[in-house]
Amino acid sequence: FEGETQALRPAGAPTLIAQSRAMQPVLRLMERVGPSDANVLVTGEHGTGKEVVARWLHAASPRAGRPLITVNLGGLAEGVLESEMFGHVKGAFTDAKADRLGRFELADGGTLFLDEIANLTPGQQAKLLRALQTGDIERVGSSKTRHVDVRVISATNAGVADEVVAGRFREYLLFRINTVEIALPPL
């Protein structure tokens, strides 16, 4: 791969090779944001490397020794989001045969990568927003509040600002997930 430009690679980071001029400002932004705790929204078309960027940012952060938990929000049905994200206690619903940790607890101290965030329904957005605002979660069927410390990296190929204007995405949720936006150029 002669002539390729590679960003400085933190230990454990995926290889990120970027030759185009359009990627150079993206790489510089990643190098500045990676070591921070800032929530990041990664935008770009399908196949542009949003998940690779999320993995790189996690590896460049002080949270690198803790888990990176990935959730494809586009694949979660309305009824299972709470259980997947916040966990549940035994008996909370028919198939809850044992206590189960949610993705927020699994990512505690680390990074939570929320892929396809623009696919959430308004009801799902409200549930996620509360957890992002306070860091407090409750497992389904429990009244015990647990505090988690996670860095959130979200990704989407949708124009989230347009979704806000159209009333399909909560403006305050966008504010929470978009401390820094990394826009990946088309392939």
Side-chain angles (χ1 to χ4, degrees):
F1 298 140
E2 199 171 290
E4 293 172 330
T5 303
Q6 183 172 336
L8 295 176
R9 195 168 98 160
T15 301
L16 181 63
I17 299 173
Q19 189 173 1
S20 75
R21 179 174 285 153
M23 276 298 291
Q24 298 313 305
V26 172
L27 297 174
R28 286 192 298 276
L29 180 57
M30 288 172 57
E31 288 173 353
R32 286 195 321 265
V33 173
S36 77
D37 255 351
N39 289 340
V40 177
L41 176 62
V42 184
T43 60
E45 296 176 358
H46 285 294
T48 54
K50 295 181 292 291
E51 186 168 351
V52 173
V53 169
R55 292 184 180 285
W56 194 97
L57 291 171
H58 173 71
S61 78
R63 297 172 180 269
R66 303 288 301 156
L68 167 65
I69 303 297
T70 299
V71 184
N72 178 359
L73 295 173
L76 292 181
E78 180 86 30
V80 300
L81 177 90
E82 280 184 280
S83 179
E84 284 295 318
M85 298 304 293
F86 311 125
H88 62 255
V89 296
K90 181 179 178 178
F93 48 87
T94 305
D95 289 333
K97 298 185 184 345
D99 287 359
R100 182 173 187 267
L101 296 178
R103 306 296 176 93
F104 272 93
E105 281 185 271
L106 291 170
D108 194 20
T111 304
L112 185 60
F113 175 51
L114 304 175
D115 199 8
E116 302 298 342
I117 193 154
N119 290 351
L120 290 175
T121 66
Q124 291 172 322
Q125 291 174 37
K127 292 169 185 170
L128 182 60
L129 180 56
R130 182 180 181 279
L132 294 177
Q133 285 174 315
T134 65
D136 293 335
I137 60 162
E138 288 180 9
R139 292 182 188 165
V140 175
S142 173
S143 59
K144 181 179 179 186
T145 300
R146 302 166 194 274
H147 186 77
V148 293
D149 173 27
V150 298
R151 178 189 196 181
V152 175
I153 300 174
S154 304
T156 184
N157 65 331
V160 186
D162 294 336
E163 295 295 305
V164 168
V165 170
R168 292 184 295 263
F169 199 85
R170 291 175 176 261
E171 184 173 20
Y172 199 63
L173 178 56
L174 178 58
F175 172 76
R176 284 283 169 193
I177 64 173
N178 192 14
T179 304
V180 175
E181 182 175 344
I182 296 177
L184 299 179
L187 293 175

